[in-house]
Amino acid sequence: MKIVTIIGARPQFIKASSVYRAIKSIDRKNRIKEVLVHTGQHYDYLMDQVFFEELELPRPDYHLGVGSGSHGKQTALMLERIEAVLEKERPDIVIVYGDTNSTLAGALGAAKLKIPVAHIEAGLRSYNREMPEEINRVLTDHLSYYLFCPTEHAVRNLEKEGIIDGKGRLVRDVGDVMYDSILYYSQIAERKSKILRDLNLSTSDSSHSDYYLVTIHRAENTDNPKRLKSILKALNKIGKEEVVIFPIHPRTKKMINNYRLAKETSNIKLIEPVSYLNMLMLEKNANLILTDSGGVQKEAFWLRVPCITLREETEWVETVQSGWNILAGIDTDRIIEAVKSAKRVGFSKRKKSFFGDGKASQKIVSILMNLN
Ligand code: UD1
Ligand code: UDP
């Protein structure tokens, strides 16, 4: 069976690495040939190659070199180049991950050629159509044959849109491939990462200093000067009392420069994006995480680090409902209040995992193999 896997953005390299590993461990007789296609959506060394070097993921078979651009142009270029690859390779299945423009282009390219699409991380919804990711998710789910959901909630979201198991589709709650990944790489990160020492966050007796970790990259936050300023003001105030470490996404760096907001970052320790193993160590040892990232919200939950989400809504509702994640939006005072309340009341203990048993990737591969 031939599978074409389409990836292009940082979180997709991490997710695809889990499934690649599962294929290697389950498919002993080499029945599956996986062809890896990189759209080129992310291309800086620290957004791209570092993940291929660090994770178990081979060099892509095709690199489409699409790069950055407006949504229409970027997605259209991907679609054109993906179609050419799919026509040449003629796979049995195309796998796409998450909700980026690479996801949508991959799903559309495959569906138009009548190749079954497997969407990993299906069924997520913010119900906010202002987000480009929401458009990508909805369209990809509707184009897909295999819908691999990370949670029960995601299955229910699909049901509301009439996407039901058995009606010409296969819908399964398999768990989250990012959870598989964190379980696998946590100990490896402990051994290999030197980030805490490099940033002077560990002391000589190897205990860790106190710090907060921040990531921001959502277009609705970065591409609006008022919203970006409001968030940075809060972080800068917090930075007067706490060490705030902020591995900065290139989009956010660009917009801080464009809007001349550098002065709002004087108390924040801005660093380049970090590798996955370094990120896991930074997350694990942080006192608090403030983020608008989807993946980082979940990692905070799995690592039992309290999280404040700098958005009005989240797709990962379980993290909020279980009391481990506070939705603070982008208002300066509200963010500062959320940090105070997180410190004051702490976070509730939770009993349920919600995201599967760490074997999502293996379940996906088994399903794909059994049905072909
Ligand atoms: C994309 C996804 C988002 C995902 C994120 C993961 C879409 C619509 N958005 O957002 O869902 O959460 O990836 O990180 O697909 N840039 C660089 N170097 C790079 C990559 C980007 O400088 O290697 C800069 C460029 O100025 C570019 C901007 O970042 O225009 C945005 O990049 P893009 O890939 O369009 O979206 P992300 O914000 O990365
Ligand atoms: N990540 C990383 N280095 C960083 C920031 C994030 O390795 O500097 C990892 C993070 O641990 C998570 C994934 O990237 O596994 C999340 O990606 P991102 O926040 O870019 O996108 P999203 O999840 O919001 O789509």
Side-chain angles (χ1 to χ4, degrees):
M1 175 179 39
K2 190 189 271 186
I3 295 176
V4 164
T5 293
I6 296 176
I7 52 179
R10 169 168 71 185
Q12 294 168 331
F13 308 141
I14 297 164
K15 293 167 197 175
S17 148
S18 276
V19 175
Y20 174 80
R21 228 176 28 256
I23 292 175
K24 292 286 155 244
S25 75
I26 294 175
D27 180 31
R28 296 275 157 84
K29 292 186 180 156
N30 290 330
R31 279 173 53 208
I32 296 181
K33 176 170 168 45
E34 187 182 25
V35 177
L36 207 55
V37 178
H38 186 329
T39 61
Q41 178 168 355
H42 285 175
Y43 44 84
D44 288 350
Y45 174 77
L46 290 171
M47 297 295 290
D48 176 14
Q49 287 100 309
V50 71
F51 296 95
F52 288 83
E53 288 168 11
E54 195 169 79
L55 306 174
E56 288 169 50
L57 197 59
R59 282 168 62 90
D61 298 283
Y62 294 87
H63 194 294
L64 307 183
V66 168
S68 305
S70 68
H71 287 279
K73 189 170 176 193
Q74 189 185 48
T75 312
L77 265 182
M78 288 176 188
L79 182 59
E80 188 180 341
R81 294 177 190 177
I82 286 169
E83 185 178 63
V85 172
L86 295 181
E87 278 183 326
K88 181 166 166 227
E89 293 288 341
R90 287 276 152 200
D92 300 294
I93 295 170
V94 167
I95 297 184
V96 295
Y97 292 88
D99 53 20
T100 71
N101 289 346
S102 299
T103 316
L104 176 60
L108 191 53
K112 290 276 184 186
L113 292 174
K114 301 187 173 43
I115 302 166
V117 178
H119 185 202
I120 297 182
E121 219 178 65
L124 274 287
R125 294 292 182 271
S126 65
Y127 298 105
N128 175 1
R129 290 280 174 113
E130 294 292 309
M131 293 178 72
E133 292 85 357
E134 185 74 356
I135 314 266
N136 292 341
R137 290 177 196 128
V138 171
L139 293 175
T140 300
D141 283 338
H142 283 260
L143 291 168
S144 295
Y145 175 79
Y146 299 95
L147 294 113
F148 293 118
C149 300
T151 60
E152 282 169 30
H153 189 86
V155 175
R156 287 202 297 276
N157 286 341
L158 291 177
E159 279 168 10
K160 285 185 212 155
E161 291 170 26
I163 301 179
I164 294 169
D165 185 51
K167 285 195 173 176
R169 306 185 190 250
L170 188 140
V171 181
R172 291 284 185 283
D173 171 12
V174 289
D176 196 313
V177 297
M178 286 188 96
Y179 184 46
D180 302 5
S181 185
I182 206 168
L183 292 178
Y184 183 79
Y185 281 109
S186 249
Q187 292 304 317
I188 298 174
E190 293 278 355
R191 280 202 311 278
K192 291 196 173 168
S193 168
K194 298 188 174 37
I195 188 91
L196 297 179
R197 207 183 59 197
D198 291 349
L199 294 176
N200 287 323
L201 296 172
S202 59
T203 52
S204 50
D205 64 357
S206 86
S207 62
H208 301 296
S209 323
D210 289 343
Y211 65 91
Y212 292 178
L213 179 68
V214 172
T215 79
I216 306 167
H217 74 278
R218 290 263 147 249
E220 71 260 29
N221 284 341
T222 58
D223 294 15
N224 176 325
K226 280 197 184 140
R227 290 178 71 92
L228 186 56
K229 187 170 179 183
S230 183
I231 294 172
L232 292 176
K233 263 181 178 289
L235 299 176
N236 216 26
K237 279 192 184 172
I238 296 163
K240 284 187 181 158
E241 291 177 14
E242 309 283 345
V243 176
V244 175
I245 309 283
F246 183 177
I248 190 162
H249 189 289
R251 171 194 280 275
T252 316
K253 188 176 184 178
K254 182 174 78 178
M255 298 323 275
I256 288 175
N257 288 335
N258 286 358
Y259 300 142
R260 300 183 198 287
L261 292 173
K263 61 181 179 304
E264 305 294 349
T265 64
S266 54
N267 303 315
I268 304 170
K269 190 168 172 52
L270 296 175
I271 60 173
E272 291 296 308
V274 295
S275 74
Y276 180 59
L277 297 185
N278 285 340
M279 188 63 180
L280 289 185
M281 287 307 284
L282 282 176
E283 288 173 331
K284 208 173 189 174
N285 292 285
N287 285 353
L288 184 69
I289 293 177
L290 297 106
T291 190
D292 62 9
S293 155
V296 175
Q297 286 175 63
K298 288 184 291 178
E299 287 167 349
F301 178 86
W302 294 324
L303 294 167
R304 295 177 177 260
V305 179
C307 183
I308 292 178
T309 294
L310 306 170
R311 291 177 49 196
E312 299 298 338
E313 75 283 304
T314 179
E315 303 76 36
W316 304 105
V317 290
E318 300 82 358
T319 62
V320 175
Q321 285 162 2
S322 64
W324 209 255
N325 187 3
I326 296 177
L327 287 176
I330 53 92
D331 177 70
T332 305
D333 294 338
R334 220 174 119 199
I335 296 171
I336 291 171
E337 213 27 67
V339 170
K340 282 188 193 150
S341 78
K343 276 197 339 203
R344 213 169 33 238
V345 300
F347 282 74
S348 61
K349 293 269 175 288
R350 60 169 196 276
K351 297 185 185 69
K352 242 184 126 176
S353 108
F354 300 107
F355 298 93
D357 57 4
K359 294 191 168 60
S361 312
Q362 293 174 24
K363 287 179 193 159
I364 290 167
V365 174
S366 304
I367 291 170
L368 294 179
M369 285 179 74
N370 285 342
L371 292 178
N372 281 276

